[in-house]
Each structure stands twice: as C-alpha cells, then as structure tokens.
Amino acid sequence: MTRLREILLRLGANFRGIFDLESSGEMMAYAVIVGVVAGFGAWLFAEGSDRVKAVALESWVGYHDPAHGDSDEPRPGEIDEAVPPPTPAELRRHANPMQGIRWWAVLLVPTLGGLACGWIVYTFAPEAEGHGTDALVRSFHRLGGAVRGRVPFVKGIASIITIGTGGSAGREGPIAQVGSGFGSFLADKLGLPPTQRRQLALAGAAGGIAAIFQAPLGGALFVCEVLYASTAIEFAAVIPSVVAAVVA
C-alpha cells in the first residue's frame, strides 16, 4: 500500500506539473466561452460559404455538386413524403455536374472572387493571408498568441468569398485562425498572461475545427500537435482544447 501511494503521489505531481491545475478552474470556464463562440462562428462560416456558393457557382456558373454515393435510390426508411422526387433533368444534372456550365463564368467568377479576397485581406489585415494554420503557428511561437481583433472577421469574409466562388481553399485553415483570434481577444480583455493567451488561442482553433468537421477529439489534438515539426505536443493546452472542442 505504501508503494502504491508513492506511485500515485508521483503521478499526481507529474500531472499537476504538466497541466497546471492551480489555474485550471478558470481556464475551463474560459474554454467553455471560447467553445461557444467558436461553434457559432463555425456555423456562420459554413452557412456563408454555402450561400455564396449557391449564388456564384450554382446560379451564375451553372455548376451543381455530383450526387453522393453509388446510387440515387433512397434506402428503406429514407423516403420523405413531403419532399417531391427529383425530376429526370435534376438526376441528369447531378450525375453530370458539367452539364449546363457557362464557360465564361468558369473563368470570370473565380477571378472576381480572388480579386475581392485579395483586396479585402491586403487592405484590412495583411496577416490574414495564407492558409490559416501557418498564421496560428506563427502567432503561438513568435507573438505570444496575440491576434489582432479584426483578423477573424477579415479571414472569415475573405475565405467565404474564396470558397464560395470556387477558389482552391479548404475550411480547416480559415476556421482555425478565426477561432484562435477570438481566444486571443478574450485573453486580452481578461488581462491574461501570454501563457494562458496561447492556450485560449489554441482552444479557439480547436473549437472551430471541431465544429466545422464534427470531430471534437480530432480538432483538439490537431491544434496541439500542428505547432511542432516533430512529434511534440503542447500538453498544457490539451484539456482547454478538448473542452472548447466538445462545447463547440
């Protein structure tokens, strides 16, 4: 029993040294707030991207996403009487997304979207250019987790335009930078030190990624390991990131 107690005490001391339990109570509360805002931001980001895509790609270009799966036949129990069955023209259009494409719009819409995105970024927040996770890593290591308050808004709007007009971009980078921006903003308003500001920035990024992809554990672990080129992980940010990701 004495030996077991010594082992448990040693493990407890190591755990407290890694996760800093003295301040974990307030960090958990902050992580919940960050998760709520990150989840709401991810919802706005997804809705905005879909709305712009519906106008720019579907209405102007004439492009429609191909049908998902191997067959258009509904599975047992999936038939909704309130939804009319697709017409033969709709089935042909989804089977061949290139049918009805306006070739001039294929050139024009992404070009205008890229120009608008570039003007917004380089006019209001040049640090918002790029993928998004690279800016998160740079902010964590070089700026103490600091992100200007306008960056999440500029990054979000520019990325919505890029994705919605058919640009070559994904959702993980922009939503990571948007979420980390709010985490940094909250830390600044609360007057937290750089160490905790870094943790909340990572928690915000984890919440955004978790919400946009419905993957809380993946989002939390991703932001804690993407910071390093090796197999190292930012252990101090694991628990706040998990909390924010689950809430988001």
Side-chain angles (χ1 to χ4, degrees):
M1 293 297 295
T2 303
R3 180 60 177 171
L4 178 60
R5 182 180 179 185
E6 292 177 356
I7 294 175
L8 293 176
L9 290 175
R10 189 179 301 113
L11 290 175
N14 292 335
F15 188 83
R16 286 191 296 271
I18 292 175
F19 293 107
D20 187 20
L21 293 182
E22 294 181 359
S23 60
S24 62
E26 64 178 13
M27 285 300 295
M28 294 307 100
Y30 300 153
V32 170
I33 298 174
V34 170
V36 171
V37 176
F40 183 68
W43 175 76
L44 287 177
F45 183 79
E47 283 291 312
S49 301
D50 291 341
R51 296 293 179 87
V52 174
K53 178 182 176 182
V55 174
L57 294 185
E58 296 182 5
S59 297
W60 296 349
V61 178
Y63 172 83
H64 296 269
D65 288 333
H68 298 286
D70 299 327
S71 173
D72 293 323
E73 294 295 330
R75 297 179 181 178
E78 290 185 348
I79 299 178
D80 189 351
E81 299 295 339
V83 178
T87 64
E90 291 176 337
L91 291 176
R92 288 193 301 270
R93 183 179 61 193
H94 285 286
N96 181 14
M98 303 303 293
Q99 182 180 359
I101 290 286
R102 302 175 181 90
W103 67 266
W104 56 268
V106 174
L107 302 176
L108 182 63
V109 170
T111 301
L112 294 178
L115 291 174
C117 173
W119 179 81
I120 291 172
V121 168
Y122 288 104
T123 301
F124 299 103
E127 64 268 37
E129 61 89 20
H131 181 268
T133 51
D134 53 348
L136 169 65
V137 174
R138 181 172 60 251
S139 171
F140 182 89
H141 288 295
R142 300 182 181 180
L143 305 176
V147 179
R148 279 204 300 170
R150 68 174 63 181
V151 170
F153 300 99
V154 174
K155 185 68 174 181
I157 294 173
S159 299
I160 287 173
I161 294 175
T162 300
I163 296 173
T165 55
S168 179
R171 294 183 174 185
E172 69 280 356
I175 199 61
Q177 193 170 9
V178 169
S180 66
F182 176 74
S184 176
F185 171 81
L186 178 63
D188 287 338
K189 292 301 180 182
L190 296 173
L192 300 180
T195 301
Q196 292 179 319
R197 182 170 59 196
R198 288 189 181 98
Q199 294 180 17
L200 286 185
L202 293 182
I209 293 176
I212 205 75
F213 293 112
Q214 300 295 296
L217 183 59
L221 295 181
F222 170 76
V223 299
C224 293
E225 61 86 21
V226 76
L227 303 169
Y228 304 102
S230 65
T231 57
I233 290 181
E234 188 65 24
F235 283 105
V238 170
I239 292 181
S241 296
V242 170
V243 172
V246 171
V247 171

